[in-house]
């Protein structure tokens, strides 16, 4: 058998029937990007860590683009016995695009409501105008959270299905690893945008439930310190409860931080979204040739 310039070392118990052990520089780059992303999963769920994961994901897909441009990789993906696996990857890419779309919509809605609130605070339209806009913001956040919950369920379904897949060849196995880490990053992103669940107005709890609730609230308060979007929502809820207009400067600062966070994440999601579409189009073209 002729020596191939490619080699992959996937974690899906894959074996290569056609690609020997010598490693191509692109596969080394993909391995490095995958390892960076896996390591970042243990980091805190701050906006900087989520932004870092998006940047790493963009680098990973730049490497994937170079991989699937290689003639040998294209030959592997075009094989008839690989067709079902490649079609599964294409179906997965559609679900990833849907999850990205949910994230983009959520960021856009939250940003729009944030800017409206900032405008009202600058114009000093009074407590009533501010309260109405805050309620619109909180209603929008509730809708966002509902959409994100659906997207997270779809990603979890993908994740479970991916873990049950059997042996595959080298190229498709590498792309499955990429898909798996992409799911993980999008889950982190969507969870960050959603933030912790708002405190519910439920019936009286048992002592155990109260203790569990206190622990959850403590965790949520810690998360709000590193999540600018969650911090803005918590601040606005507190404002509604107090009915006070006094901490206007503080609210303005919190909303400004939230808007900057949203802007950074939106740019990262948009950049990754374009790379994901490019990868999907390339694989479609390979399959249809």
């Amino acid at each position: 058998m002729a020596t191939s310039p490619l080699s992959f070392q996937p974690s899906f118990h894959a074996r290569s029937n056609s690609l020997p052990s010598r490693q191509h520089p692109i596969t080394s780059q993909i391995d490095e990007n995958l390892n960076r992303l896996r390591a970042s999963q243990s980091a805190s769920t701050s906006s900087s860590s989520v932004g870092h994961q998006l940047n790493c994901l963009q680098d990973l897909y730049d490497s994937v683009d170079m991989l699937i441009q290689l003639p040998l990789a294209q030959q592997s993906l075009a094989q008839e016995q690989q067709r079902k696996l490649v079609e599964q990857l294409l179906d997965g890419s559609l679900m990833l695009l849907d999850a990205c779309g949910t994230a983009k919509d959520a960021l856009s809605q939250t940003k729009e409501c944030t800017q409206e609130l900032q405008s009202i605070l600058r114009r000093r339209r009074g407590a009533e105008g501010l309260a109405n806009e805050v309620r619109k913001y909180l209603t929008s956040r509730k809708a966002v959270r509902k959409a994100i919950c659906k997207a997270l369920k779809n990603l979890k379904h993908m994740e479970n299905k991916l873990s049950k897949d059997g042996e595959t060849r080298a190229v498709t196995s590498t792309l499955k690893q990429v898909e798996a880490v992409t799911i993980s990053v999008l889950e982190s992103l969507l969870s960050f945008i959603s933030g912790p669940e708002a405190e519910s107005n439920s019936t009286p709890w048992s002592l155990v439930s109260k203790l569990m609730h206190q622990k959850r609230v403590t965790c949520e308060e810690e998360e709000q310190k590193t999540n600018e979007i969650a911090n803005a929502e918590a601040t606005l809820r507190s404002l509604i409860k107090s009915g006070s207009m006094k901490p206007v400067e503080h609210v303005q600062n919190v909303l400004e931080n939230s808007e900057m966070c949203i802007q950074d994440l939106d740019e990262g999601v948009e950049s990754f979204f374009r790379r994901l579409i490019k990868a999907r189009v390339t694989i479609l073209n390979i399959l249809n040739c």
Side-chain angles (χ1 to χ4, degrees):
M1 183 172 63
T3 301
S4 162
L6 291 173
S7 172
F8 303 87
Q9 297 175 343
S11 61
F12 285 87
H13 306 289
R15 65 183 178 192
S16 170
N17 295 326
S18 58
L19 305 179
S21 59
R22 192 158 63 87
Q23 194 168 42
H24 193 283
I26 293 176
T27 63
S28 298
Q29 193 171 334
I30 288 175
D31 286 343
E32 182 181 340
N33 288 328
L34 285 169
N35 289 333
R36 283 169 59 200
L37 278 163
R38 288 167 183 149
S40 70
Q41 295 302 302
S42 60
S44 63
T45 54
S46 63
S47 57
S48 59
S49 67
V50 175
H52 174 69
Q53 289 175 29
L54 284 172
N55 289 334
C56 290
L57 203 57
Q58 292 168 40
D59 293 340
L60 174 61
Y61 273 77
D62 286 340
S63 300
V64 167
D65 181 61
M66 290 187 284
L67 169 67
I68 57 182
Q69 298 296 338
L70 294 174
L72 184 63
Q74 294 192 358
Q75 289 169 21
S76 176
L77 292 171
Q79 291 175 0
E80 186 60 34
Q81 58 266 40
Q82 292 284 89
R83 189 174 187 89
K84 183 177 179 181
L85 294 170
V86 175
E87 287 176 345
Q88 288 175 353
L89 287 167
L90 288 170
D91 289 342
S93 69
L94 272 181
M95 296 188 73
L96 295 176
L97 286 169
D98 284 344
C100 280
T102 298
K104 284 159 59 73
D105 289 345
L107 289 168
S108 176
Q109 288 181 40
T110 306
K111 182 179 179 179
E112 182 179 346
C113 290
T114 300
Q115 289 175 334
E116 285 295 327
L117 279 167
Q118 289 175 302
S119 177
I120 285 177
L121 286 170
R122 284 194 295 268
R123 294 198 301 265
R124 307 278 180 170
R125 279 173 49 180
E128 184 178 349
L130 178 60
N132 289 337
E133 201 62 41
V134 168
R135 291 189 184 95
K136 283 174 60 178
Y137 175 96
L138 296 176
T139 299
S140 173
R141 289 291 295 158
K142 185 176 180 180
V144 160
R145 196 170 279 118
K146 183 178 180 180
I148 286 177
C149 182
K150 181 179 178 181
L152 286 171
K153 286 180 180 178
N154 291 337
L155 289 175
K156 182 57 66 176
H157 176 73
M158 279 185 70
E159 197 171 31
N160 292 337
K161 185 178 178 181
L162 200 59
S163 66
K164 295 176 183 177
D165 286 344
E167 293 183 346
T168 61
R169 293 194 177 186
V171 178
T172 48
S173 179
T174 296
L175 294 178
K176 280 190 173 185
Q177 291 184 72
V178 170
E179 183 179 78
V181 80
T182 303
I183 291 170
S184 183
V185 171
L186 290 177
E187 286 175 338
S188 296
L189 170 67
L190 289 167
S191 296
F192 181 88
I193 297 171
S194 176
E197 287 290 342
E199 184 178 349
S200 60
N201 297 319
S202 57
T203 56
W205 296 350
S206 67
L207 177 60
V208 174
S209 296
K210 286 182 178 179
L211 290 173
M212 291 176 64
H213 172 66
Q214 290 170 0
K215 182 177 181 180
R216 180 174 64 85
V217 169
T218 301
C219 292
E220 290 177 359
E221 287 173 350
E222 289 300 315
E223 181 176 344
Q224 287 164 7
K225 294 177 182 177
T226 57
N227 185 331
E228 292 87 345
I229 300 173
N231 188 31
E233 183 173 353
T235 300
L236 292 170
R237 287 187 183 279
S238 176
L239 193 67
I240 285 290
K241 286 181 180 179
S242 68
S244 171
M245 285 285 289
K246 291 181 180 179
V248 170
E249 290 76 13
H250 172 67
V251 175
Q252 286 175 324
N253 289 335
V254 168
L255 291 174
E256 184 177 343
N257 290 337
S258 178
E259 185 183 6
M260 288 190 294
C261 169
I262 291 169
Q263 181 65 33
D264 290 342
L265 291 178
D266 191 41
E267 290 174 0
V269 173
E270 180 62 35
S271 184
F272 165 65
F273 188 77
R274 291 196 299 268
R275 286 166 169 82
L276 184 56
I277 289 176
K278 184 178 180 181
R280 175 177 167 78
V281 169
T282 300
I283 295 174
L284 273 171
N285 289 338
I286 293 169
L287 204 61
N288 293 330
C289 284

